[in-house]
Each structure stands twice: as structure tokens, then as C-alpha cells.
Amino acid sequence: MEKNQTAKGLRKNSMLIALGGVLLVMLILVLGTIWMGQAAKKSAEESVTTVSHLYLDELAGRREQVVADNLKGRIEDMNTALGMIEPEDLQDEEHLQAYQAKIKKYFRLEKFAFIDEGGVIHTSMGQRYDIDQYNFNYQTIKGAEISIKNLKQKDKTVIIAQPVDLNLAGKKLVVCFEEISMDEMLSGVSMHSQKTNATFSNIYTNTGVALTDQILGGLAVEDNLLEALEHADYLDGYSYEKVCDDFANLTKGETEFTYDGIRETLSYAPIEGTNWMLTYLIRVSVITDKIGTYSNRIINRSILLSIVTILIMLAILAYILIQNKKNMQLLLATETAEAEARTRQEELDYRISVQKQLEEQSQALSDALTTAEDANKAKTAFLSNMSHEIRTPMNAIIGLDNIALNDPETPEKTKDYLKKIGDSADHLLGLINDILDMSRIESGRLVLRNEEFSLQKLLEGINVMFNGQCMDRRLDYQCHIKGQLDEYYIGDDMKLKQVLINILGNAVKFTPEGGSVELEAEKKAEFDGQTTLQFKISDTGIGMSKEFLPHIFDTFAQEDSSTTNKYGSSGLGMAITKNIVEMMNGDIKVESEKGKGTTFTFTVTLMNSERTIADNLNHTVDLKKMCVLIVDDDPIACEHAQLVLSKAGIAAESAESGTQAIEMVNLRNARMNPYNLILVDWKMPEMDGIETTRRIREIVGDESAIIILTAYQWEDVLEEATAAGVDSFLAKPLFAATVIDEFKAAMNKKGIAISKETRKADLSGRHILLAEDVQVNAEIMMMVLEGREMEADLAENGKIAVEKFESHEPGYYDAILMDVRMPEMDGLEATKTIRAMERPDAKTIPIIALTANAFDEDVQRSMQAGLNAHLSKPVQTDVLYETLENLIQD
């Protein structure tokens, strides 16, 4: 009896403990879910505020620049129009009016007029005497002035005036002005609110009068921005007085306030050459409300998932307690059995009890496994949804950031801000990608591709990426290849690139200024159509302690949590790296010493490709007859270059200094057997690559092609190197296909330069094919060509230009003026198509690029496409005439 009571007491205590444990787990799950959701919501709102400031500052600055450039363009158009006036246009009023009508049509002007010294306005429709309606003084104007007509009315117009000195039939014309509607003035600049009613753009005078849209996006009841802002409640650090001072002094700035219960952020910037301020407004409340909605949905789903989990746990607990109760009853019943059968019965009951417990435990484990799998699926779905929700706005941020960063009109200071925005966005996306990759690995859904890829291009991409990063951080970056690697392999190049980026990224991140980072690639074994490659990444960074090394590949492992804030890390990169390496039948190990640096060594196994270097080489170059000189102070680099070139059938010699190279070139030149190609390392002691090139050019002239080899960015010395006689640049490590391509390009350039003639051609009566998709630019260019009695045919895009050239007999066109950026087919593609035609004039007709792209790389692309000259817009008339005179052949 006493034993039965004890058993009941134990069962009761066990039930209470189990029930209390379940309730505690339930409370922790619910509170933890709510706390994590609120924390995520708060972090998202803070991120929105930060990104909004950067986003507003950039958009306001860019649109201000666009408006300012439009105004400058109008002034330049006026100067162009004044430059087109002829003496006969000033004979009388009738001729002047005809000239004005023509200018209004070409430049899409509301009014193009002159003012004489008596204040009479001469328009294309006759004389007017309402000079008092304009806000400029025609008697004292000294330079170009911009003003607004009808400032307090809806039909505002922009007035651009500047002084002139012209005589019209005895009358002195002192001012020329044009009148443009505000809509035409702001064409190309979106000043309308977005569909979400969350962003608004506007232009105001420095006194607060709106020139375009409604005040504060239609929210304000006042007619003046500054009057409306006087009734706003400002956040800490912002004030109404500061806004007024900025507007009065035409100073760029931003402010945050609440107006009529709605929180808003306003960024403003002055427009150069005017007293206007361009503003960009974001209604932060709209964005934060949407974030709050998403966060609440996530919290609700998480709470529901926690409740379902708890119910399953309660069901399992109840089932176990019921079974325990039945077992106890059976055990107590057996104790009342006969004494002679007690031993056998106890043994039998014990076996039955054990068997049932095993079955129950097996079932419980199966149920627990199912629950864990469901939870893992829910976690994956949650991460996927969160990734989508975060990527959607991040995509817009990164897209706009890239567009603005690649805009040639973006100021350098703004580009620096844009790069920081892009870096932050890329870092955030990197964290998201790491979490998703780890989730795929844990769920077994990460698979490898088996596709043919170029190891050369993979390493070139890695070197370009990290060479730039190391230059910015003042680190020495080197990439070496030991022995001979094949050009192509079969495997997952994206995963291999991810591993290299993860390890090299950490090496650069944790190496202080003045240190070095080195990447070394080597073939370790080859068997049965497969090759094992070894990659070693070494740095002289902060290193790691021996105690932490065994945990380096654990998830969320960090030796010092303070480095998270200093360097930024998800703690997943090394875990992902190890899993990918092992999936590629390789292994990874690390050696490190605190304060001295770290070395990662990993291997991967790839399938061999039947594709060889010879398959990629253009046989227009006889490789067996080529002789190459390699100049590098590193004997290993010389040996590697000779090995790479010899595999392609190219004979190569080496020199370990500039002095030795000059002696070898002198000897060859004296024997009338110069080198076809000379590869010179940029960074060498005593005499660097540029000085070596200059000395060699004094010996060989233009007979040999000279290419600089470097592991650094060469843009900083491009002009100096070109002046010294360098034909091209190549990044280390060396690959044969790249060397041959650069050699052919260099020799082609030399052939064009040698065949150039200096005579002048007569332009009168020449037939010119003009490819231009912008109608205004086309009309102006045709007028310029007509000024030298040339006849022009217009093609609206590159495809039409190709068709027109092909449809006329050979020799009909004397030259082609080709805009680079056009729809359907751009200028570079059109030029390549024309050059490839099988007709006598396709290779010889001068093709001249007309483009706003004025960078050196743009000029190089034009030349590589087969264009003869590259003229940047706006094109100078004299330069165009001179180019045509030099290039047109009789």
C-alpha cells in the first residue's frame, strides 16, 4: 500500500514538473518571438531612416545637376543660335523675323527675341513694348541671366537673357532673350510624385514660391513652402530657422518634421546659376507603416507556429503519461500473483515493458524528427520570405545607386557617397546570401553544377576585384601560378569563386595598411580525367589564436565579438566555405599566428576539359615565327611566362632587369631580327617598366609591340606609359590567349597609325551618312554639314545606317558620322557590321564616333570596333571639319 502511494506521488510530481516545463517553453517561445519581431521592426525602421537620408541627398543632388545642366544647355544653345546669325539676317525686320522663326523651331522655344537700346522688343511676330513685364534690366545686364515670368501665376515661364551687340538697319540691339515654358525647361526631369504617394519632388524660389508641383505634395494648405514649414513640428537637431537660412543663402541641406500628423523628410539643394531650390520629399510614415505591417504578419505567423509546436509537445507528453500509468498498473497487478510464478512473470513483464518503452521511444523520436523537419521547413520559408521582402527595396536602392554612379555627369564627391551606399547595400545582401546558403546546406538543397569554365577568366575577375580593394587599403596584392594549369576545366566555377572571395575578402578585411595579401594556384594531381587544384591564400593580418583555430569553421564563430562592429561579419562565411570545398571533393586547413598573419590552403577536384588554348587562338598570327622577350625581376614569374607561352608554341626569352633587356634588344636589332613582342613588368628596381619601354622604343621604333605586365591598376600611369611607347597593358597572372589577343590589337593599331596621311580633302559636294537617334541633334548636325556644302543622309539608328550603306553603290558615301548610343543597334555594333561587309569600301570608309562618352576606355572601345576617330559631344564645328578633311580619301 505504501509503495502504491509512493508511486502515485512520483507520477503526480512528474506530471507537475512536465507541465511546468511545457508552460515555461511556451512562454519563452511566445515572448522570444514577440521580442525578436519588435527588435527587427525597430532595426528596419532605423535602416529606412538612414537609407532615406542618403537616398534623398543623392536624388536631390542629381536632379539639381540635371536642371542646372539644362539651363547651361539652353545658354549654350543661345550662343550657338547667335553664332549662326548672318549679316543678311540683320538687313531689316523681315529678315530678322525669319531668322528668329527658324531658331524657335530648331530649339523648341516659346519666344526668341531681341531688345534695342530704346526698350523695344523685336520678336518673330513683330515689335512689342511690354518690357516692364520682364524681371531683368536690359540697360545694365552684363552676362547671362535667368529669371521667371508670371511668378505668381500658373503659366510660369523661364527667361534666359544675355547682352549682345548687333546693328539692325541702324538700330542697336543690346539684349537677346528666349522664353521657355516651365514644362519644356524641365523636360527629362521627373518632378511628379510616385504612385505610392511616398516621394515628391519640386522646385521653389529661395522665398518659398513653388515653380512646379503642389506644396509638400498637396498636403499643405499654405501657398508658400516656408509659410507651410513654419507650422511643422521638427525633430531633434532640426529647426525652421535653419531651413529659412539655407533657402536664403541657397545652401544644400535636409530636415525632418511632422506636418499634420505625418512624419516627413525633406532634402533640398540649390540649382547652380539661379535662386531656385530643388527639393525631394519622402513621407517616412508611409514606409514605416508598411514595414510595421510586414513585421506584425511575421510575428503573428511565428506565434501561431509556436502554439502548434506546444500543442504537439503536450500531446506527446499526455501519451507518455498515459502509457506510464498503464505500465505501473500492470506492474502492481503482477505483484499480487502467486509466489511460485513471480520470478517468471516479473521477467516476462520486464521484457514486455522494455519492448513497449522502446516502441514508444521510437515513435516519440519519429514524431520529434517530423516536428524538427517541419520547423526547419518553416525556418527556410521564413528566411526566403524575409529575403524577398528585404531584397525588393534593396534592389531599387542598388539599381538607382548604379545608375547614378555610372552617370558621367555625377560629381566625384557624390560618387564617393554613392560608392558608400553601394558598399553598405552589398554588405547587407552578402549577409542575406550567407544565411540562405547556410540554410540550403543544412537542408541538403545546395547542389553543384558541372559546366565548362575558363580558369583564366575566373582568376582575372578575382584579381581585378581584390587588386582594386587592396589599392584602396594600401595593401600589396600578388597572384602567382606555380607550374602549368589548363585553360579550361569542368565544375562549378561560381562556387569556386565564392570560396576564393570569402577567404580573400577576410584576408583583405583583417590586414592593416601596409600589409600584403597573396594568392597562389597550383596543380597537385591529375588522374582518370580529373585534376586536383590547390589554392593558398596568405596575408600579414591580425591573425588568430591557437585556441580559436579549431572553431574557425563553426557557424557564427568569431574569436572576438568586438570585431563584428569593427570589420562587419555574419559569422557564416567560413562554415559555408568549408561545406562547399568538401562538396567539391576537397579539404581546407588554416595556419595562423596572432599578430603575424594567416594562411588558408584548400584543394578542389575538377574534371578535365578537352578544350585547349589552341582552340581559342586566331591563327592569323603565325605563333611559331614569333619571338617574345619577357622582362621581370622575379625569376619565378619569368619561368611561368615562358612555360605558358611555350605550351602555345611561342618561343620566349627572359631578362631579369631593364638594363639586361635593353642589351638583348640592342643585340637582336643589330642582327636585323627584332623581337615581335616585349612583355615588361611595371614594378622593377633600378629601372621600372615605363623607363625600360622608353629606352627600348629609342632602339626599335615601332617595329615591336610592347605590353606592360602588372598586378596593379594602370589607369594612374596610362598617359605616361602611352607617351613612353607602351601599346597595351596585361594583368598578372599571364595566359597565352590573352597575350596573343593583346599582341594582335597592338599591331592593328600600329598599322592604322602608319597608314595615316596628312593631306586635306575638299569637303564640298561630299556625301555623308549621319546616324543619330535624337532629332534635335540630327537637325543641328545637318545644318553644320550644309555649312561646308556637304550632303547628309539621316539614319535614326545603327540598323538603318547599315541598311542605307549597303543599299548604295560602293564609294557613294565619303564618310559616316556614327552616334554610339542608339536603339535597336548601337554605333559600335553598326560599325562592326559595316566593316565585315564584302565590298571594297567597307574597310576603308572613314567612320567617326559622335558620343557623349569621353573616357579613355570609351575611346578604346570605339577604336576596337573599327572607328577611325572619336569626337565627344558637344562637337566643335572646326574639329569636325578638320577630322573629315584628314580622313576622307579621293
Side-chain angles (χ1 to χ4, degrees):
M1 186 69 178
E2 181 179 353
K3 188 174 182 180
N4 190 20
Q5 293 294 331
T6 302
K8 289 182 179 180
L10 289 173
R11 289 201 305 272
K12 184 176 181 181
N13 290 337
S14 299
M15 184 179 296
L16 291 175
I17 292 173
L19 183 60
V22 170
L23 292 175
L24 180 61
V25 170
M26 179 175 65
L27 183 63
I28 292 173
L29 283 173
V30 173
L31 293 180
T33 301
I34 295 174
W35 175 76
M36 289 178 63
Q38 293 296 335
K41 179 180 178 181
K42 183 178 179 182
S43 298
E45 290 176 352
E46 291 175 352
S47 298
V48 167
T49 301
T50 302
V51 174
S52 295
H53 279 287
L54 297 174
Y55 178 73
L56 282 175
D57 184 63
E58 166 56 17
L59 283 184
R62 287 192 65 241
R63 295 195 178 187
E64 172 273 322
Q65 187 62 47
V66 172
V67 175
D69 289 346
N70 282 350
L71 291 171
K72 290 179 180 178
R74 290 293 183 173
I75 294 174
E76 291 176 359
D77 288 345
M78 179 180 285
N79 290 332
T80 301
L82 290 173
M84 295 169 58
I85 195 168
E86 300 293 342
E88 56 265 23
D89 294 331
L90 298 173
Q91 291 178 2
D92 50 36
E93 287 283 349
E94 183 178 352
H95 283 79
L96 180 62
Q97 291 174 4
Y99 161 76
Q100 291 173 297
K102 179 173 65 175
I103 294 302
K104 285 173 59 180
K105 177 181 177 182
Y106 283 141
F107 294 100
R108 300 178 183 176
L109 302 177
E110 293 287 327
K111 182 180 294 182
F112 182 75
F114 291 92
I115 303 174
D116 62 26
E117 57 188 352
V120 177
I121 301 174
H122 299 262
T123 71
S124 62
M125 304 298 294
Q127 297 182 357
R128 291 174 51 182
Y129 304 91
D130 54 349
I131 189 64
D132 56 334
Q133 293 186 9
Y134 297 89
N135 295 327
F136 62 88
N137 192 329
Y138 71 94
Q139 295 175 330
T140 60
I141 185 171
K142 298 299 184 182
E145 290 187 7
I146 301 170
S147 59
I148 301 296
K149 183 181 177 183
N150 301 329
L151 181 61
K152 297 184 178 181
Q153 300 177 18
K154 290 186 177 181
D155 56 343
K156 302 178 182 67
T157 56
V158 179
I159 306 298
I160 301 178
Q162 66 178 10
V164 297
D165 187 7
L166 301 172
N167 289 313
L168 173 63
K171 296 180 181 179
K172 184 176 182 181
L173 303 180
V174 295
V175 172
C176 174
F177 73 93
E178 60 183 34
E179 185 171 341
I180 313 135
S181 68
M182 187 61 69
D183 289 339
E184 177 67 21
M185 183 68 249
L186 299 179
S187 61
V189 183
S190 176
M191 302 299 296
H192 302 288
S193 61
Q194 304 297 320
K195 293 182 180 180
T196 57
N197 289 325
T199 60
F200 303 88
S201 185
N202 206 343
I203 296 179
Y204 300 89
T205 66
N206 64 343
T207 60
V209 178
L211 299 185
T212 56
D213 216 337
Q214 296 175 314
I215 307 296
L216 295 182
L219 185 64
V221 296
E222 294 84 357
D223 295 330
N224 185 285
L225 174 64
L226 298 181
E227 293 177 1
L229 292 179
E230 188 176 4
H231 302 102
D233 296 324
Y234 292 84
L235 275 66
D236 292 341
Y238 302 98
S239 67
Y240 172 71
E241 291 75 14
K242 177 66 167 55
V243 176
C244 291
D245 289 344
D246 288 346
F247 266 66
N249 296 321
L250 295 177
T251 302
K252 182 178 182 180
E254 62 183 24
T255 185
E256 289 191 31
F257 57 87
T258 301
Y259 185 91
D260 198 16
I262 297 177
R263 181 181 170 189
E264 302 185 301
T265 299
L266 180 71
S267 180
Y268 46 86
I271 298 176
E272 183 182 352
T274 70
N275 64 341
W276 306 347
M277 297 288 281
L278 186 142
T279 66
Y280 205 93
L281 179 75
I282 284 186
R283 287 187 176 156
V284 180
S285 299
V286 176
I287 300 175
T288 54
D289 287 346
K290 290 184 179 179
I291 291 177
T293 301
Y294 294 144
S295 299
N296 291 334
R297 291 177 182 172
I298 294 171
I299 293 172
N300 293 336
R301 295 192 190 104
S302 300
I303 292 175
L304 179 61
L305 180 62
S306 300
I307 293 174
V308 172
T309 304
I310 292 168
L311 290 176
I312 294 173
M313 292 174 63
L314 288 173
I316 295 173
L317 177 63
Y319 177 76
I320 294 174
L321 291 175
I322 291 172
Q323 292 299 320
N324 285 337
K325 183 178 180 181
K326 290 180 179 179
N327 291 337
M328 292 299 296
Q329 290 175 347
L330 180 61
L331 182 61
L332 291 174
T334 58
E335 291 179 351
T336 61
E338 296 179 358
E340 63 273 12
R342 184 180 299 277
T343 302
R344 293 193 302 271
Q345 190 66 38
E346 287 180 352
E347 183 179 356
L348 179 60
D349 289 342
Y350 175 75
R351 291 178 179 178
I352 294 174
S353 175
V354 170
Q355 182 178 355
K356 287 189 176 182
Q357 287 180 2
L358 289 175
E359 291 176 354
E360 293 165 359
Q361 290 175 1
S362 176
Q363 183 62 39
L365 289 174
S366 177
D367 294 341
L369 177 61
T370 301
T371 302
E373 289 176 348
D374 292 340
N376 191 50
K377 290 179 181 178
K379 179 192 72 175
T380 302
F382 170 77
L383 290 174
S384 178
N385 290 335
M386 282 302 298
S387 171
H388 180 269
E389 295 296 337
I390 295 175
R391 284 172 185 271
T392 300
M394 289 302 300
N395 181 62
I397 293 172
I398 293 176
L400 291 172
D401 178 76
N402 287 333
I403 291 172
L405 192 60
N406 290 294
D407 190 339
E409 298 180 355
T410 302
E412 288 300 323
K413 184 176 181 181
T414 305
K415 283 186 178 180
D416 183 53
Y417 296 151
L418 292 172
K419 288 178 182 177
K420 293 178 180 177
I421 293 175
D423 291 343
S424 299
D426 289 340
H427 178 65
L428 178 57
L429 286 181
L431 298 180
I432 296 171
N433 291 335
D434 283 349
I435 294 173
L436 291 179
D437 280 346
M438 203 65 215
S439 176
R440 293 190 188 99
I441 291 171
E442 291 176 349
S443 61
R445 293 188 294 110
L446 185 67
V447 295
L448 296 179
R449 301 178 303 164
N450 280 318
E451 298 177 355
E452 185 180 67
F453 69 93
S454 168
L455 182 64
Q456 166 203 345
K457 294 190 181 301
L458 186 147
L459 290 178
E460 283 181 355
I462 291 290
N463 290 339
V464 169
M465 180 186 305
F466 286 98
N467 185 42
Q469 292 183 22
C470 289
M471 290 286 287
D472 294 339
R473 295 171 63 90
R474 297 185 179 179
L475 303 177
D476 178 41
Y477 175 76
Q478 297 289 337
C479 177
H480 298 291
I481 295 179
K482 294 181 64 177
Q484 177 62 43
L485 298 183
D486 292 338
E487 182 84 5
Y488 292 92
Y489 291 97
I490 297 174
D492 195 328
D493 60 322
M494 296 303 295
K495 291 295 184 290
L496 177 57
K497 187 174 184 180
Q498 184 178 354
V499 170
L500 289 169
I501 289 174
N502 282 350
I503 301 176
L504 282 168
N506 282 342
V508 174
K509 185 190 304 180
F510 294 108
T511 301
E513 181 178 326
S516 63
V517 177
E518 182 176 346
L519 168 62
E520 181 182 283
E522 180 181 6
K523 180 192 293 186
K524 298 299 292 184
E526 184 175 359
F527 178 75
D528 196 20
Q530 295 183 327
T531 297
T532 298
L533 301 182
Q534 175 181 285
F535 297 89
K536 182 183 292 185
I537 295 96
S538 304
D539 65 69
T540 59
I542 61 176
M544 294 174 283
S545 63
K546 293 182 179 179
E547 294 75 17
F548 178 69
L549 284 180
H551 307 286
I552 181 64
F553 299 111
D554 295 344
T555 55
F556 303 108
Q558 292 176 340
E559 181 177 11
D560 183 0
S561 61
S562 64
T563 60
T564 304
N565 294 330
K566 182 176 181 181
Y567 298 103
S569 174
S570 66
L572 296 174
M574 287 297 100
I576 294 171
T577 296
K578 185 175 187 295
N579 278 278
I580 293 176
V581 169
E582 291 176 347
M583 290 178 68
M584 301 179 78
N585 298 322
D587 59 19
I588 185 170
K589 59 183 179 180
V590 57
E591 300 175 357
S592 184
E593 186 174 348
K594 199 73 172 177
K596 292 188 177 180
T598 303
T599 298
F600 280 89
T601 304
F602 72 90
T603 59
V604 294
T605 301
L606 303 172
M607 290 184 288
N608 295 336
S609 171
E610 296 180 358
R611 191 172 179 182
T612 64
I613 297 175
D615 297 333
N616 268 3
L617 298 180
N618 188 328
H619 296 290
T620 56
V621 177
D622 190 347
L623 305 183
K624 295 182 180 180
K625 293 183 179 180
M626 283 187 63
C627 188
V628 180
L629 175 62
I630 303 160
V631 186
D632 198 318
D633 62 307
D634 183 356
I636 297 177
C638 290
E639 181 181 354
H640 170 70
Q642 286 180 293
L643 185 63
V644 168
L645 295 175
S646 64
K647 190 171 183 180
I650 301 173
E653 301 175 2
S654 64
E656 295 186 7
S657 69
T659 303
Q660 182 184 358
I662 293 170
E663 293 175 357
M664 296 175 69
V665 169
N666 261 321
L667 182 61
R668 276 268 186 172
N669 205 53
R671 293 176 178 174
M672 302 302 291
N673 185 24
Y675 292 104
N676 304 100
L677 173 63
I678 303 174
L679 302 175
V680 185
D681 184 36
W682 177 10
K683 297 289 187 179
M684 293 188 297
E686 298 181 6
M687 185 186 300
D688 64 14
I690 295 177
E691 179 59 27
T692 301
T693 299
R694 185 179 291 110
R695 299 274 294 276
I696 291 175
R697 277 285 178 234
E698 294 175 356
I699 300 170
V700 302
D702 285 329
E703 286 190 74
S704 302
I706 302 179
I707 298 176
I708 288 288
L709 296 177
T710 177
Y712 304 89
Q713 291 180 337
W714 57 74
E715 287 82 358
D716 296 336
V717 295
L718 179 61
E719 184 175 349
E720 182 184 0
T722 303
V726 174
D727 294 304
S728 185
F729 294 85
L730 273 179
K732 293 182 178 181
L734 204 64
F735 289 89
T738 310
V739 172
I740 298 302
D741 288 342
E742 290 298 326
F743 171 71
K744 290 189 295 184
M747 298 309 292
N748 287 337
K749 286 166 61 179
K750 287 177 180 296
I752 293 171
I754 293 170
S755 65
K756 216 173 176 185
E757 296 182 7
T758 59
R759 61 160 193 79
K760 301 286 185 179
D762 184 10
L763 300 183
S764 178
R766 299 289 184 174
H767 292 86
I768 308 297
L769 176 57
L770 172 63
E772 174 61 69
D773 62 314
V774 180
Q775 185 63 31
V776 174
N777 292 343
E779 292 175 358
I780 294 175
M781 188 56 62
M782 293 178 76
M783 290 176 58
V784 171
L785 295 174
E786 290 171 2
R788 288 292 295 270
E789 299 180 0
M790 287 178 278
E791 298 178 10
D793 286 350
L794 175 62
E796 288 77 11
N797 57 54
K799 182 179 179 182
I800 297 175
V802 171
E803 293 172 352
K804 286 196 172 186
F805 178 82
E806 193 173 23
S807 64
H808 288 80
E809 69 274 16
Y812 178 80
Y813 291 112
D814 297 289
I816 302 175
L817 300 181
M818 184 76 71
D819 185 27
V820 173
R821 291 190 178 182
M822 293 184 293
E824 292 196 47
M825 180 184 290
D826 62 27
L828 300 182
E829 188 62 28
T831 300
K832 293 177 182 177
T833 304
I834 291 173
R835 292 298 189 209
M837 290 181 182
E838 295 296 330
R839 50 186 284 171
D841 59 342
K843 302 291 189 298
T844 59
I845 184 171
I847 306 180
I848 302 166
L850 302 179
T851 175
N853 300 336
F855 294 101
D856 292 336
E857 52 267 34
D858 297 318
V859 180
Q860 290 177 355
R861 281 195 290 269
S862 296
M863 299 300 102
Q864 291 169 358
L867 285 102
N868 300 94
H870 184 104
L871 301 183
S872 300
K873 293 181 180 178
V875 178
Q876 305 251 342
T877 303
D878 294 338
V879 175
L880 175 62
Y881 291 156
E882 183 178 356
T883 303
L884 290 171
E885 289 172 343
N886 290 334
L887 293 180
I888 289 178
Q889 303 288 329
D890 289 323

